[in-house]
Amino acid sequence: HIIGHGPDFFFAVDDLDGDGDDEILAPEYSGEKLSVYKRSSFNSDQWDRVELASGMGPLFDAKVLNLANDHKTILLTNHVNDMRAGLYALERVPDKPALAEEGWHKKVIIKDIETRKKGPGQASPGNLSIFSIQSENPIGLKKNNDPVSLNHILLSGDGSG
């Protein structure tokens, strides 16, 4: 079943608006935007598309990071061979609709990733993964010495070598 045209091949699935139904996050390489697909209604085969973000170049991968109190952050990579190459974050804006561009604040995590491998089709960065590691309070996050879980981001370099 086709739900829309434009998305590429890396997707993320999460309940962005908190209604109990998951939405599909689709980074678009050719369209250079992040689209979100939501079912039109319960038991419907129709999907509505909303554009959440643009202006980062051809997008490649997306992941949703769920922090405390249902605070969600969307992490995005693009895939270019210029100084826009990087990792971006969309942070949820309180009291704004979750399925609208104004519901998210865009931040640059890292950019200017150099594409070292030259030639046709070479670009950076690649895909990303999020993982947690238990640690013994490495940077004074807590007053006691209870272990804390720190989120880490693994970002492939692809064309950056």
Side-chain angles (χ1 to χ4, degrees):
H1 181 76
I2 296 173
I3 65 168
H5 298 281
D8 293 300
F9 52 90
F10 286 117
F11 299 91
V13 177
D14 200 283
D15 181 11
L16 294 178
D17 61 4
D19 68 353
D21 288 333
D22 284 338
E23 288 80 42
I24 300 169
L25 288 80
E28 296 186 25
Y29 182 85
S30 297
E32 298 192 11
K33 60 188 153 217
L34 175 65
S35 294
V36 174
Y37 291 86
K38 181 173 183 64
R39 278 194 324 174
S40 298
S41 62
F42 187 71
N43 287 334
S44 172
D45 285 341
Q46 301 299 313
W47 292 76
D48 296 324
R49 181 184 158 278
V50 175
E51 183 180 316
L52 277 196
S54 60
M56 295 167 278
L59 294 180
F60 193 73
D61 198 4
K63 298 285 189 288
V64 179
L65 180 60
N66 291 303
L67 300 172
N69 300 324
D70 234 9
H71 176 78
K72 295 181 189 267
T73 298
I74 300 170
L75 298 176
L76 296 162
T77 61
N78 58 12
H79 199 64
V80 295
N81 59 4
D82 58 40
M83 300 316 274
R84 296 175 299 164
L87 173 66
Y88 297 84
L90 300 178
E91 294 183 329
R92 186 76 178 86
V93 177
D95 302 320
K96 298 287 183 183
L99 297 181
E101 194 165 358
E102 66 267 19
W104 300 88
H105 173 70
K106 181 173 34 177
K107 291 176 71 173
V108 176
I109 304 296
I110 184 173
K111 69 175 195 167
D112 301 336
I113 298 172
E114 180 183 0
T115 301
R116 294 184 190 115
K117 292 183 179 180
K118 303 299 181 196
Q122 293 297 321
S124 304
N127 62 334
L128 69 110
S129 293
I130 302 167
F131 63 98
S132 295
I133 295 178
Q134 292 288 321
S135 186
E136 296 280 334
N137 202 14
I139 54 176
L141 293 174
K142 297 171 79 177
K143 291 183 180 180
N144 58 29
N145 285 327
D146 292 342
V148 294
S149 180
L150 298 175
N151 289 310
H152 290 69
I153 301 167
L154 181 62
L155 181 62
S156 73
D158 200 23
S160 70

